[in-house]
Amino acid sequence: MYSLRYILYETWLSMKKSATMLFSAVIIITTALSLLGFFIVSQNFLKVVLKDIENNLQIVVFLEDGFNERTLKEVIIPSVKEYPQVSKVDYIDKEQAREELKKDISELNEIFSVIEDNPLPSSLRVSVSAPEALETVAERLKKENGIIIDEITYGGENVRNFLKASEKFKQFSVIFLTLFIITSVIVTSSTIKLTIYSRKSDIEIMKLVGATDWYVKWPYIIEGVVLGLFSSFLAIMLVLFLKNSAALEVAKSIQFLSGFNSEISMLEIAWKLLVVGILQGIIGALWSASSILSEKE
Amino acid sequence: MIEFNEVSKVYDNGIVALNNISLRIEKGEFVFLIGPSGAGKSTFLKMIFREEKPTSGQVFIDSRDITPLRRHEVPYLRRNIGVVFQDFKLLNDRTVGENVGFTLQVMGVNPALINNQVTKVLDQLGLSTKKRMYPTQLSGGEKQRVCIARAIVNNPAILITDEPTGNLDPYISWEIMKLMIDINSKGTSVVFATHNKELVDRMRKRVLVLKDGRLVKDEQRGNFDYDSV
Ligand SMILES: Nc1ncnc2c1ncn2[C@@H]1O[C@H](COP(=O)(O)OP(=O)(O)OP(=O)(O)O)[C@@H](O)[C@H]1O
Ligand SMILES: [Mg+2]
């Protein structure tokens, strides 16, 4: 069977005829796919940011002086460690608190050398595994017996707002992207429909001399795939280029994000864009090809 | 073998193109189909390779009723029937050689074999020098010969020729006639719709006369005469 060869030739003949139409379709589909690419990049970026936040999810419990240190170490800390959401508990006594402060702010050294009394409270640093758990853990800590809590602080409000915002961003993007992908399917489909219409009499002739529906259909499906393939290739290039230049800027200004560029796998983005590009091509092509070929028996 | 059993065709616009036609054409027969313009000749031929479906009645090809054929079965019927269309129906985006080889191409035949076969048939029709030309660069008579070449390239069991009204080059007509006879003598049934009186009168083959969609005469060794009926 030499059918593949013939069908590729048919595809070539068809695409030659519709070159300008295909060109504009490539631009539109590339745009849609690039947006998808940027969305994946920004999702990955958010993931890095969130991971950083989650690594630093901490409740700081400032303790009033005068508690029993032994009870704290032998009863309370082990009990807090047992909370399901708690990953780590560090006890910072007054002395450590002073050392840390000294280290952070060297100008304070002199002041501390003058002051006999240490005004800094002891504290517990409770690391929590998920931002949702901050409040629950804080509430539960308040009910622990044997310690008097002076103050509890955690970045809960901000973290939750950020999470909410990024969730909103994600939902919005998904809706937006779905519309774009649908658009690109429609663009593919109408481009191919136009090609088919411009060759309608040829298609009829082919069928009259014994071509099967599939022989006539395949070139258009391949055309859709080529369209998708080419557009995804362009989109991948565009995303790669912009991602690298944007990442440089980000790395320069935000310290903890310096590693994010290497954490985003371009390979992952490439195959996702390819799959979406090719799939939309096939769907668009099948859609137009079958709607036209079924017109007349 | 072609058999029509009470075949009628009414087009969507209400025109009755064929009116209750029953007849039988044996395997290897040569039949002329004549009648005034609009009599239904092309419609009759279209029934055979199922470009059109009968409104009522059945058409049998080799004892097989083709009326209920499914869409995907139709191409295989057509591969067994060579058709020289009244308007030629050549593909303008490919060469003469590619047009002629197209029938074999859709069947997935080896390109080298196609090339052999195409060269042979083009030779037979005196088109060797036109192989690389495009249909738009050809004269009407040449287009018709390309169409004939395409119709016979895969040695079909049935050859249908629907000649355009108004004669093409009469000398060529005789050349074509000889070729048809030759093909017919090898066992292919030929149904030839024509307006060429001289051709029909000289050949003395079976003649079917259509008038207003009716089969008004069916004569062995007939002549070109439809005014008397
Ligand atoms: N697709 C169609 N739709 C509607 N009417 C049609 C169609 N094709 C043919 N007709 C009508 O059917 C009748 C028979 O047409 P047909 O083409 O079979 O005639 P014909 O004998 O081949 O004529 P000619 O010798 O001019 O080729 C005509 O009146 C024509 O107008
Ligand atoms: Mg006709």
Side-chain angles (χ1 to χ4, degrees):
Chain A
M1 292 298 271
Y2 296 84
S3 302
L4 179 64
R5 194 164 144 179
Y6 300 138
I7 281 165
L8 288 179
Y9 180 62
E10 299 288 348
T11 311
W12 165 243
L13 286 178
S14 161
M15 291 185 75
K16 219 166 59 173
K17 260 194 177 168
S18 49
T20 37
M21 242 144 45
L22 288 174
F23 179 73
S24 29
V26 162
I27 292 176
I28 297 171
I29 298 164
T30 302
T31 310
L33 289 174
S34 303
L35 285 170
L36 175 62
F38 292 133
F39 171 72
I40 298 172
V41 171
S42 60
Q43 262 335 100
N44 280 324
F45 174 80
L46 273 180
K47 245 186 239 158
V48 176
V49 175
L50 289 178
K51 211 202 272 166
D52 188 82
I53 290 172
E54 277 170 16
N55 283 341
N56 292 303
L57 281 179
Q58 232 176 33
I59 300 174
V60 183
V61 184
F62 293 101
L63 303 171
E64 249 178 43
D65 290 350
F67 56 88
N68 183 335
E69 195 158 319
R70 231 182 106 195
T71 321
L72 182 77
K73 281 186 174 158
E74 285 170 15
V75 182
I76 298 172
I77 292 180
S79 132
V80 173
K81 274 186 178 159
E82 288 302 305
Y83 293 9
Q85 310 93 327
V86 169
S87 54
K88 207 170 88 186
V89 181
D90 289 316
Y91 170 54
I92 312 292
D93 63 20
K94 290 171 82 78
E95 200 45 44
Q96 272 170 293
R98 181 155 73 174
E99 289 310 309
E100 272 185 14
L101 195 60
K102 272 180 169 176
K103 219 167 31 189
D104 286 349
I105 313 169
S106 50
E107 296 90 61
L108 288 179
N109 273 347
E110 288 165 36
I111 301 171
F112 276 118
S113 60
V114 178
I115 302 171
E116 268 296 288
D117 220 17
N118 180 354
L120 297 173
S122 326
S123 61
L124 285 178
R125 288 183 191 159
V126 181
S127 297
V128 171
S129 54
E132 302 83 55
L134 284 168
E135 209 163 346
T136 342
V137 172
E139 287 307 312
R140 199 166 158 191
L141 279 167
K142 281 181 196 157
K143 292 186 196 116
E144 283 288 338
N145 290 322
I147 42 170
I148 300 164
I149 292 172
D150 186 36
E151 198 189 350
I152 284 187
T153 64
Y154 56 90
E157 196 63 23
N158 287 340
V159 170
R160 261 172 297 147
N161 282 342
F162 182 72
L163 280 178
K164 241 185 246 164
S166 69
E167 197 51 42
K168 274 264 151 56
F169 170 73
K170 192 169 170 178
Q171 285 166 0
F172 189 70
S173 306
V174 167
I175 293 170
F176 208 57
L177 280 166
T178 312
L179 287 177
F180 263 100
I181 298 303
I182 290 172
T183 307
S184 70
V185 170
I186 291 172
V187 167
T188 306
S189 156
S190 16
T191 305
I192 290 170
K193 213 173 236 180
L194 282 175
T195 324
I196 292 174
Y197 269 121
S198 74
R199 305 189 77 224
K200 218 172 170 194
S201 62
D202 279 6
I203 290 173
E204 206 151 294
I205 294 172
M206 291 177 183
K207 294 181 71 181
L208 281 176
V209 294
T212 55
D213 274 353
W214 277 104
Y215 186 91
V216 181
K217 244 191 250 187
W218 266 118
Y220 299 106
I221 295 166
I222 296 173
E223 196 170 317
V225 171
V226 170
L227 200 58
L229 207 67
F230 193 66
S231 307
S232 359
F233 178 75
L234 288 182
I236 289 166
M237 287 320 204
L238 201 67
V239 173
L240 181 67
F241 173 74
L242 288 178
K243 187 198 77 151
N244 281 340
S245 48
L248 275 181
E249 290 306 311
V250 170
K252 256 188 255 166
S253 48
I254 309 172
Q255 193 54 55
F256 79 91
L257 285 173
S258 59
F260 114 90
N261 196 28
S262 54
E263 280 188 55
I264 295 174
S265 154
M266 203 51 215
L267 209 65
E268 181 200 323
I269 294 173
W271 78 252
K272 279 184 181 165
L273 290 189
L274 271 179
V275 168
V276 174
I278 292 171
L279 271 184
Q280 65 86 21
I282 292 175
I283 294 168
L286 273 178
W287 184 14
S288 52
S290 52
S291 76
I292 283 171
L293 290 177
S294 59
E295 265 177 15
K296 194 195 169 202
E297 196 183 331
Chain B
M1 199 263 319
I2 303 165
E3 192 181 342
F4 277 52
N5 180 29
E6 298 178 353
V7 172
S8 293
K9 175 67 185 180
V10 183
Y11 281 112
D12 291 341
N13 56 6
I15 290 181
V16 182
L18 294 178
N19 194 345
N20 199 29
I21 295 196
S22 296
L23 59 82
R24 218 180 131 88
I25 297 169
E26 297 304 330
K27 198 172 155 63
E29 229 184 323
F30 192 116
V31 180
F32 281 117
L33 182 62
I34 63 167
S37 187
K41 301 183 294 298
S42 296
T43 307
F44 178 91
L45 298 177
K46 284 174 182 172
M47 295 289 144
I48 299 172
F49 58 96
R50 210 172 187 268
E51 185 175 346
E52 296 289 351
K53 271 205 234 179
T55 311
S56 64
Q58 296 100 36
V59 178
F60 296 87
I61 305 291
D62 286 330
S63 311
R64 183 181 181 199
D65 186 1
I66 63 162
T67 338
L69 272 194
R70 306 270 298 278
R71 184 186 169 89
H72 63 90
E73 296 171 304
V74 174
Y76 303 96
L77 166 77
R78 290 176 179 164
R79 288 175 191 182
N80 229 352
I81 303 174
V83 184
V84 182
F85 299 94
Q86 193 161 18
D87 55 352
F88 312 137
K89 296 199 189 299
L90 296 174
L91 298 162
N92 286 323
D93 61 350
R94 53 201 91 195
T95 63
V96 165
E98 286 167 345
N99 266 285
V100 173
F102 190 78
T103 325
L104 297 170
Q105 195 175 302
V106 296
M107 293 162 72
V109 176
N110 180 331
L113 251 154
I114 294 184
N115 192 44
N116 269 344
Q117 193 65 16
V118 167
T119 309
K120 205 179 93 192
V121 175
L122 287 179
D123 249 5
Q124 259 182 308
L125 284 148
L127 289 165
S128 308
T129 56
K130 314 283 184 202
K131 191 174 176 185
R132 293 204 160 69
M133 287 171 75
Y134 286 86
T136 46
Q137 302 168 322
L138 303 177
S139 73
E142 286 165 345
K143 279 187 202 167
Q144 189 185 28
R145 278 184 285 152
V146 174
C147 197
I148 295 169
R150 180 179 63 188
I152 64 175
V153 74
N154 62 334
N155 301 312
I158 298 170
L159 176 64
I160 288 169
T161 305
D162 196 356
E163 261 203 338
T165 318
N167 271 339
L168 299 166
D169 185 346
Y171 168 74
I172 290 303
S173 286
W174 272 108
E175 286 301 300
I176 289 170
M177 198 61 233
K178 274 193 242 160
L179 194 86
M180 300 274 167
I181 303 284
D182 187 42
I183 292 162
N184 177 238
S185 71
K186 286 173 189 149
T188 298
S189 317
V190 177
V191 185
F192 197 145
T194 184
H195 292 272
N196 190 329
K197 179 173 165 47
E198 197 194 333
L199 208 66
V200 177
D201 287 344
R202 294 264 285 270
M203 294 297 303
R204 287 278 155 176
K205 294 278 186 187
R206 179 178 172 191
V207 176
L208 306 174
V209 182
L210 279 180
K211 224 172 179 180
D212 295 329
R214 274 176 220 280
L215 182 64
V216 290
K217 200 156 103 181
D218 178 356
E219 200 178 12
Q220 297 294 334
R221 308 186 61 75
N223 54 9
F224 193 89
D225 172 24
Y226 51 70
D227 295 326
S228 63
V229 283

